[in-house]
Amino acid sequence: MTADHDDGPKDGNDDRSDDANGAATRARTSRATKKTRAAKKSRTAKKASEKPRRRERDGDGDSNGDTPSKDGGDDVPADDLPTIEIPPTGVIDLPIGANAIDLSRLFDSPQRPATDDTDQAPLADDEMIVVAVHGMVLFPGVVLPVVVSREKSILALQAAMRSDRPIGLLLQREADIDAPSPADLYHVGTTASIVRYVTTPDGAHHVIVQGQKRFRATKFVRSEPYFVCKVELLEERALPKGRGKAKAEKSLEARVMHLKFQASEALSLLPETPEELLGAIQESGSPSALTDLIATFMELPNEEKQQILETAELIPRMELVSAKLAHLIEVLSLSKELRVKTRGTMEKAQREYFLREQLKTIQAELGEDAAPELQELSEAIGAAGLPADIEKEVRKELARLERMPEQAAEYGMLRNYLETVVELPWSKLSTDRIDLKRAKRILDEDHYGLEKVKRRILEFLAVRKLKPDGKSPILCLVGPPGVGKTSLGRSVARAMGREFVRISLGGVHDESEIRGHRRTYVGAMPGSIVQGMRRAGKANPVFMLDEMDKLGQSFQGDPSSALLEVLDPEQNKTFKDHYLGVPFDLSRVMFIATANVLDQIPGPLRDRCEVIELNSYTEQEKLEIAKRYLIDRQRSENGLTLKQFKLDDAALLEIVRHHTAEAGCRNLERKIGAVARWVATRIAGNERRSMTVRKSDVTEILGPRRFEDERRLRTAVPGVATGLAWTPFGGDILFIETTLMPGKGEIVLTGQLGDVMKESARAAVSLVKSRAVALGLDEKPFEDKDLHIHLPAGAIPKDGPSAGVTLFTALVSLLTKRRIDPELAMTGEISLRGLVLPVGGIKEKVIAAHRAGIRRILLPKANAKDELDIPASTRRDLELIYVEKVDDVLEQAFALPSKKPAAKKSAKKRASKKRASKKRTSKKRAGTKPGRTSTAK
């Protein structure tokens, strides 16, 4: 129930209440008129209690569109309507039930149509002028003021006053319709008498209406210039007579008392109880008027008030209002409880504020005022370049900090939060140096090779030069350890003139490490992304996400899912860290991710990155990298000069070939560092002034060779083949050994093989059995023998689908007792039809074979397209043979140990012996001197 209404209708439906209400209305209106005259003496207004003058209507009518009355009597022209000029503040001293609402919204229209008034036909007894309203429901017996602005509503009110007839008010279904049609109106409304019509100096039309009876609009007769419809008055059912009358009266009296009690309880729960409304409710004697009065002042949606209005029967209407009151009482009770609690909290807060102000005064007297620090923080917020909405939130937190004592536990956390916010680079940008030649020179200075990566970075710089506001790419560098992924990110930042920041994602298993912790406890802190931006100090750094394939996952959340927003160009503009609580723009950051294995990066995260693969270094590339970068770096780190320490090419090659076996250069740099430290020890001990390390010195410094060429030793017997494998650390070679032993035809697989490799071994055995006759073997080669297949280095797990060709060749070599060419390595999968199927990792495998000294490599024919990825220096030293069937594999595997080279060699020896014999014969024929013969002897 609202507390805004000072007065309410008394007993609106019985005659005595109507008379009293009308008298009160005339008295209050008269007082309003007298106050208005006193306020504005320069104007003359008619008395409020004066009856409207009526004059006979001319035959031609007037320009205001007067409407004839039903009986053809006198009409009142618009100019002669009773008016009262009142101050712009509104109606003063409204009658009982007046609601101080600017009801221009009820009858509002954006434009008033220019309508010419025309004579209208007289209304029938069952017809009524209707006005469409919204935002209010008028009940019978209630008096309300209305501000009218719709042209159609003004014409309707003036016509009703001229014809001295009541007017009907119907509620609109949709409040935002400016020109409602009959279909947009409810069909049950209230007839109302026009108590007063007032025109204010600003041109607004005010009218005071009093509800009379409910009616139902059965048919709309016309819609222009105002609504006229046929109506049916809704009457309440009378109480039963006879024996049931006494019981019905008691029941009705009980309901009336219950409604009054509920209304009084609801009013008592309000912050300020309206005494006049409470008195009107208690003095109301008519049950119907009481029900409508309570419904008028209850805070209900208009649709629910319309439902009460449409309930014409008294008992159901009282039950409906009682139910609404019960719900309202529950809401008001809860509101009062909250109000009491809030008042207690506010009193405590006011006391703390008073004491805090006193403390500030004492601190100021003692010279311990902390205000300058907060003032500096406020100035820093203004200078941080925050967006307007974010600065508003931060200022609000600063205001909290100013009201908070320093001893509070939250004080330090809130201050750290504000310092973090102001230190973030909201608008600080690095100026990009878009010079492609300079960028290329820097990339070449820092890295040898890596042409594909360098080309992509130069492409980005070229696009940024042409379109400065373009989106930054999200690159993902995938390759073995030690190939220069992290250092490449630093080179990119240096080439672009941007700041470089790096975070490691290895082992991260908590989402809050990416998004930050919520500020619900003292130890909260921002996530690693925001911390990295804080360290960078610029809004557009080169941001490296290292080891992205090693992200973890736990019950605390999935960090890879949190990174989706970071790496999505469409979302990272409004990245929201839990600690900050406000969006931060990451769209200007150039993200570079690194990984060793592409398959271990979650699919959605991988989909947001542009993948660039960095492959293993060749032997030649390692030598160049060592000469250009590694030796100089170790010389500097160990305090040596160029004159004091040198490493010749033969020694460097010895280290690369026999002391390291890796895809990158990390172990190579360690070995060079060990050599540099050995030299530094000799120079520091005054044993040498300078030294050039040669090949013969490497064994003394680093010890015996760690990696020897085992190819010839391993393949010296039949049944051993050299295969190629791919690992996360680059390519590698592996030997497959097979042997037969007495048994029952079982197959033994050792070497910690995975499921895929075990299936390849079984497929190779089945293929050998199916081709036993064609290979010149027994039909059942394994009937009484067990087959053992072993892959050395059993501590290392091995799996993959590329060993089928090598397994098949090793088995054929074992059964046919023919040795395989030791200079040959192979890779590829087989099918049971004898086809050689394509595999992956060709570039890494070929580089590993070249590093191991292999000269001939068998590859699936379908992998011929991958030859373009192999470095040219590697291709020149290798013979790549592409095979399509296992028959081609066997032909190449056993090709070199043929008899043709031996026959050719013996023919040469015979020719040489023949030439020597002819020479001796010619010498004998040339002369027979004794001395010559003696010398020959």
mmCIF file of all heavy atoms in Angstrom, residues 40 66 135 202 211 218 230 243 249 252 299 350 359 443 455 471-472 501 517 519 594 641 695 698 714 745 766 824:
data_model
loop_
_atom_site.group_PDB
_atom_site.id
_atom_site.type_symbol
_atom_site.label_atom_id
_atom_site.label_comp_id
_atom_site.label_asym_id
_atom_site.label_seq_id
_atom_site.Cartn_x
_atom_site.Cartn_y
_atom_site.Cartn_z
ATOM 1 N N LYS A 40 -2.202 34.889 -7.363
ATOM 2 C CA LYS A 40 -2.148 35.596 -8.657
ATOM 3 C C LYS A 40 -3.307 36.593 -8.721
ATOM 4 O O LYS A 40 -4.407 36.265 -9.152
ATOM 5 C CB LYS A 40 -2.243 34.605 -9.803
ATOM 6 C CG LYS A 40 -1.052 33.671 -9.842
ATOM 7 C CD LYS A 40 -1.063 32.869 -11.104
ATOM 8 C CE LYS A 40 0.179 32.011 -11.195
ATOM 9 N NZ LYS A 40 0.232 31.245 -12.418
ATOM 10 N N ASP A 66 -18.560 21.472 -30.472
ATOM 11 C CA ASP A 66 -19.441 21.091 -29.383
ATOM 12 C C ASP A 66 -20.300 19.920 -29.810
ATOM 13 O O ASP A 66 -20.721 19.811 -30.954
ATOM 14 C CB ASP A 66 -20.361 22.268 -28.992
ATOM 15 C CG ASP A 66 -19.522 23.446 -28.525
ATOM 16 O OD1 ASP A 66 -18.414 23.198 -28.035
ATOM 17 O OD2 ASP A 66 -19.972 24.585 -28.684
ATOM 18 N N GLY A 135 -1.543 3.244 -16.847
ATOM 19 C CA GLY A 135 -0.827 3.601 -15.641
ATOM 20 C C GLY A 135 -1.710 3.788 -14.428
ATOM 21 O O GLY A 135 -1.200 4.137 -13.356
ATOM 22 N N ASP A 202 0.184 26.798 -18.312
ATOM 23 C CA ASP A 202 1.034 26.170 -19.322
ATOM 24 C C ASP A 202 0.236 25.430 -20.388
ATOM 25 O O ASP A 202 0.812 24.751 -21.243
ATOM 26 C CB ASP A 202 2.031 25.209 -18.657
ATOM 27 C CG ASP A 202 1.333 24.121 -17.866
ATOM 28 O OD1 ASP A 202 0.089 24.135 -17.786
ATOM 29 O OD2 ASP A 202 2.045 23.246 -17.322
ATOM 30 N N GLY A 211 -14.924 7.923 -9.346
ATOM 31 C CA GLY A 211 -15.477 6.676 -9.839
ATOM 32 C C GLY A 211 -16.863 6.428 -9.306
ATOM 33 O O GLY A 211 -17.170 6.759 -8.152
ATOM 34 N N THR A 218 -19.754 -3.434 -24.296
ATOM 35 C CA THR A 218 -20.217 -4.552 -25.132
ATOM 36 C C THR A 218 -19.958 -4.319 -26.603
ATOM 37 O O THR A 218 -19.768 -5.276 -27.363
ATOM 38 C CB THR A 218 -21.727 -4.769 -24.920
ATOM 39 O OG1 THR A 218 -22.419 -3.542 -25.239
ATOM 40 C CG2 THR A 218 -22.015 -5.120 -23.462
ATOM 41 N N LYS A 230 -21.305 1.017 -26.442
ATOM 42 C CA LYS A 230 -22.471 0.554 -25.693
ATOM 43 C C LYS A 230 -21.961 -0.115 -24.424
ATOM 44 O O LYS A 230 -20.993 -0.877 -24.457
ATOM 45 C CB LYS A 230 -23.297 -0.420 -26.525
ATOM 46 C CG LYS A 230 -24.005 0.253 -27.697
ATOM 47 C CD LYS A 230 -24.897 -0.738 -28.419
ATOM 48 C CE LYS A 230 -25.680 -0.063 -29.539
ATOM 49 N NZ LYS A 230 -26.636 0.941 -29.000
ATOM 50 N N ARG A 243 -33.851 -16.876 6.187
ATOM 51 C CA ARG A 243 -33.000 -17.460 7.218
ATOM 52 C C ARG A 243 -31.507 -17.261 6.913
ATOM 53 O O ARG A 243 -30.712 -17.124 7.820
ATOM 54 C CB ARG A 243 -33.300 -18.948 7.346
ATOM 55 C CG ARG A 243 -34.706 -19.244 7.816
ATOM 56 C CD ARG A 243 -34.921 -20.737 7.925
ATOM 57 N NE ARG A 243 -36.273 -21.042 8.409
ATOM 58 C CZ ARG A 243 -36.727 -22.285 8.563
ATOM 59 N NH1 ARG A 243 -35.939 -23.314 8.273
ATOM 60 N NH2 ARG A 243 -37.960 -22.475 9.011
ATOM 61 N N GLU A 249 -24.849 -11.959 6.654
ATOM 62 C CA GLU A 249 -24.405 -10.684 7.208
ATOM 63 C C GLU A 249 -23.243 -10.880 8.181
ATOM 64 O O GLU A 249 -22.286 -10.091 8.205
ATOM 65 C CB GLU A 249 -25.578 -9.999 7.916
ATOM 66 C CG GLU A 249 -26.617 -9.443 6.961
ATOM 67 C CD GLU A 249 -27.774 -8.801 7.694
ATOM 68 O OE1 GLU A 249 -27.845 -8.986 8.940
ATOM 69 O OE2 GLU A 249 -28.608 -8.131 7.044
ATOM 70 N N LEU A 252 -20.184 -11.586 6.128
ATOM 71 C CA LEU A 252 -19.687 -10.375 5.482
ATOM 72 C C LEU A 252 -19.026 -9.461 6.504
ATOM 73 O O LEU A 252 -17.978 -8.858 6.239
ATOM 74 C CB LEU A 252 -20.856 -9.654 4.796
ATOM 75 C CG LEU A 252 -20.485 -8.394 4.011
ATOM 76 C CD1 LEU A 252 -19.500 -8.723 2.904
ATOM 77 C CD2 LEU A 252 -21.757 -7.753 3.429
ATOM 78 N N GLU A 299 0.093 -1.350 -3.696
ATOM 79 C CA GLU A 299 1.104 -1.297 -4.758
ATOM 80 C C GLU A 299 1.042 -2.595 -5.539
ATOM 81 O O GLU A 299 1.715 -3.572 -5.220
ATOM 82 C CB GLU A 299 2.493 -1.068 -4.169
ATOM 83 C CG GLU A 299 2.673 0.300 -3.539
ATOM 84 C CD GLU A 299 4.091 0.506 -3.042
ATOM 85 O OE1 GLU A 299 4.865 -0.462 -3.077
ATOM 86 O OE2 GLU A 299 4.410 1.626 -2.609
ATOM 87 N N GLN A 350 28.002 5.111 11.222
ATOM 88 C CA GLN A 350 28.083 6.527 11.551
ATOM 89 C C GLN A 350 29.011 6.756 12.757
ATOM 90 O O GLN A 350 29.800 7.704 12.773
ATOM 91 C CB GLN A 350 26.692 7.066 11.848
ATOM 92 C CG GLN A 350 25.805 7.163 10.594
ATOM 93 C CD GLN A 350 24.389 7.543 10.926
ATOM 94 O OE1 GLN A 350 24.025 7.627 12.096
ATOM 95 N NE2 GLN A 350 23.579 7.766 9.894
ATOM 96 N N LEU A 359 40.046 10.596 14.548
ATOM 97 C CA LEU A 359 41.384 10.043 14.401
ATOM 98 C C LEU A 359 42.189 10.814 13.369
ATOM 99 O O LEU A 359 43.380 11.074 13.554
ATOM 100 C CB LEU A 359 41.295 8.562 14.028
ATOM 101 C CG LEU A 359 42.632 7.834 13.828
ATOM 102 C CD1 LEU A 359 43.435 7.836 15.122
ATOM 103 C CD2 LEU A 359 42.380 6.396 13.365
ATOM 104 N N LEU A 443 66.680 -10.489 -37.245
ATOM 105 C CA LEU A 443 66.343 -11.915 -37.186
ATOM 106 C C LEU A 443 67.507 -12.770 -37.678
ATOM 107 O O LEU A 443 67.786 -13.834 -37.113
ATOM 108 C CB LEU A 443 65.086 -12.190 -38.014
ATOM 109 C CG LEU A 443 63.789 -11.560 -37.489
ATOM 110 C CD1 LEU A 443 62.650 -11.810 -38.452
ATOM 111 C CD2 LEU A 443 63.441 -12.120 -36.111
ATOM 112 N N ARG A 455 59.988 -15.517 -42.347
ATOM 113 C CA ARG A 455 59.110 -15.013 -43.393
ATOM 114 C C ARG A 455 57.743 -14.634 -42.828
ATOM 115 O O ARG A 455 57.167 -13.606 -43.191
ATOM 116 C CB ARG A 455 58.950 -16.058 -44.493
ATOM 117 C CG ARG A 455 58.098 -15.569 -45.667
ATOM 118 C CD ARG A 455 58.053 -16.574 -46.802
ATOM 119 N NE ARG A 455 57.351 -17.784 -46.425
ATOM 120 C CZ ARG A 455 57.939 -18.968 -46.253
ATOM 121 N NH1 ARG A 455 59.251 -19.087 -46.398
ATOM 122 N NH2 ARG A 455 57.237 -20.031 -45.919
ATOM 123 N N LYS A 471 44.477 -6.761 -36.393
ATOM 124 C CA LYS A 471 44.589 -7.657 -35.250
ATOM 125 C C LYS A 471 45.968 -8.317 -35.235
ATOM 126 O O LYS A 471 46.535 -8.621 -36.276
ATOM 127 C CB LYS A 471 43.514 -8.749 -35.316
ATOM 128 C CG LYS A 471 42.095 -8.216 -35.207
ATOM 129 C CD LYS A 471 41.099 -9.346 -35.310
ATOM 130 C CE LYS A 471 39.666 -8.806 -35.205
ATOM 131 N NZ LYS A 471 38.669 -9.893 -35.352
ATOM 132 N N SER A 472 46.485 -8.521 -34.037
ATOM 133 C CA SER A 472 47.779 -9.170 -33.888
ATOM 134 C C SER A 472 47.613 -10.675 -34.054
ATOM 135 O O SER A 472 46.626 -11.258 -33.588
ATOM 136 C CB SER A 472 48.378 -8.867 -32.518
ATOM 137 O OG SER A 472 48.640 -7.496 -32.375
ATOM 138 N N VAL A 501 57.765 -10.135 -22.785
ATOM 139 C CA VAL A 501 57.431 -10.735 -21.498
ATOM 140 C C VAL A 501 57.102 -12.201 -21.739
ATOM 141 O O VAL A 501 56.518 -12.558 -22.767
ATOM 142 C CB VAL A 501 56.252 -9.992 -20.822
ATOM 143 C CG1 VAL A 501 54.990 -10.089 -21.649
ATOM 144 C CG2 VAL A 501 56.007 -10.530 -19.423
ATOM 145 N N HIS A 517 42.836 -14.657 -8.719
ATOM 146 C CA HIS A 517 41.985 -15.043 -7.594
ATOM 147 C C HIS A 517 40.964 -13.943 -7.319
ATOM 148 O O HIS A 517 41.249 -12.761 -7.480
ATOM 149 C CB HIS A 517 42.829 -15.269 -6.334
ATOM 150 C CG HIS A 517 43.908 -16.280 -6.507
ATOM 151 N ND1 HIS A 517 45.111 -15.977 -7.124
ATOM 152 C CD2 HIS A 517 43.976 -17.585 -6.167
ATOM 153 C CE1 HIS A 517 45.871 -17.055 -7.133
ATOM 154 N NE2 HIS A 517 45.218 -18.046 -6.570
ATOM 155 N N ARG A 519 38.913 -11.425 -5.050
ATOM 156 C CA ARG A 519 39.342 -10.664 -3.878
ATOM 157 C C ARG A 519 38.434 -10.941 -2.684
ATOM 158 O O ARG A 519 37.791 -10.061 -2.131
ATOM 159 C CB ARG A 519 39.370 -9.173 -4.203
ATOM 160 C CG ARG A 519 40.504 -8.785 -5.125
ATOM 161 C CD ARG A 519 40.562 -7.291 -5.368
ATOM 162 N NE ARG A 519 39.452 -6.817 -6.169
ATOM 163 C CZ ARG A 519 38.551 -5.938 -5.773
ATOM 164 N NH1 ARG A 519 38.607 -5.429 -4.564
ATOM 165 N NH2 ARG A 519 37.584 -5.546 -6.581
ATOM 166 N N THR A 594 54.640 -21.547 -27.439
ATOM 167 C CA THR A 594 55.617 -22.562 -27.820
ATOM 168 C C THR A 594 55.151 -23.916 -27.300
ATOM 169 O O THR A 594 54.441 -24.002 -26.285
ATOM 170 C CB THR A 594 57.006 -22.248 -27.254
ATOM 171 O OG1 THR A 594 56.989 -22.372 -25.833
ATOM 172 C CG2 THR A 594 57.450 -20.840 -27.638
ATOM 173 N N THR A 641 88.866 -14.284 -23.775
ATOM 174 C CA THR A 641 88.878 -13.411 -24.945
ATOM 175 C C THR A 641 89.073 -14.256 -26.200
ATOM 176 O O THR A 641 89.374 -15.457 -26.128
ATOM 177 C CB THR A 641 89.998 -12.379 -24.838
ATOM 178 O OG1 THR A 641 91.271 -13.054 -24.812
ATOM 179 C CG2 THR A 641 89.836 -11.544 -23.575
ATOM 180 N N LYS A 695 91.058 -31.340 -32.424
ATOM 181 C CA LYS A 695 90.314 -32.591 -32.341
ATOM 182 C C LYS A 695 90.941 -33.556 -31.351
ATOM 183 O O LYS A 695 90.240 -34.252 -30.597
ATOM 184 C CB LYS A 695 90.224 -33.224 -33.723
ATOM 185 C CG LYS A 695 89.453 -34.525 -33.757
ATOM 186 C CD LYS A 695 89.383 -35.084 -35.171
ATOM 187 C CE LYS A 695 88.633 -36.407 -35.196
ATOM 188 N NZ LYS A 695 88.576 -36.965 -36.575
ATOM 189 N N VAL A 698 89.854 -33.058 -27.655
ATOM 190 C CA VAL A 698 88.453 -33.223 -27.240
ATOM 191 C C VAL A 698 88.306 -34.413 -26.319
ATOM 192 O O VAL A 698 87.608 -34.356 -25.298
ATOM 193 C CB VAL A 698 87.543 -33.343 -28.482
ATOM 194 C CG1 VAL A 698 86.124 -33.695 -28.060
ATOM 195 C CG2 VAL A 698 87.562 -32.056 -29.275
ATOM 196 N N ARG A 714 75.847 -53.559 -35.897
ATOM 197 C CA ARG A 714 74.505 -54.073 -35.677
ATOM 198 C C ARG A 714 74.009 -54.876 -36.885
ATOM 199 O O ARG A 714 73.315 -55.880 -36.738
ATOM 200 C CB ARG A 714 73.551 -52.911 -35.409
ATOM 201 C CG ARG A 714 73.790 -52.199 -34.089
ATOM 202 C CD ARG A 714 73.378 -53.066 -32.907
ATOM 203 N NE ARG A 714 73.537 -52.370 -31.643
ATOM 204 C CZ ARG A 714 72.574 -51.669 -31.047
ATOM 205 N NH1 ARG A 714 71.409 -51.561 -31.629
ATOM 206 N NH2 ARG A 714 72.811 -51.092 -29.898
ATOM 207 N N GLY A 745 56.115 -71.950 -32.299
ATOM 208 C CA GLY A 745 55.551 -70.944 -33.193
ATOM 209 C C GLY A 745 55.056 -69.689 -32.489
ATOM 210 O O GLY A 745 54.234 -68.946 -33.038
ATOM 211 N N SER A 766 52.445 -61.898 -40.330
ATOM 212 C CA SER A 766 51.399 -62.447 -41.202
ATOM 213 C C SER A 766 51.754 -62.257 -42.671
ATOM 214 O O SER A 766 51.515 -63.146 -43.506
ATOM 215 C CB SER A 766 50.062 -61.775 -40.881
ATOM 216 O OG SER A 766 49.687 -62.007 -39.542
ATOM 217 N N LEU A 824 71.681 -48.308 -45.343
ATOM 218 C CA LEU A 824 70.268 -48.131 -45.691
ATOM 219 C C LEU A 824 69.419 -48.040 -44.430
ATOM 220 O O LEU A 824 69.605 -48.802 -43.484
ATOM 221 C CB LEU A 824 69.788 -49.308 -46.556
ATOM 222 C CG LEU A 824 68.313 -49.298 -46.961
ATOM 223 C CD1 LEU A 824 68.042 -48.196 -47.976
ATOM 224 C CD2 LEU A 824 67.898 -50.646 -47.534
#
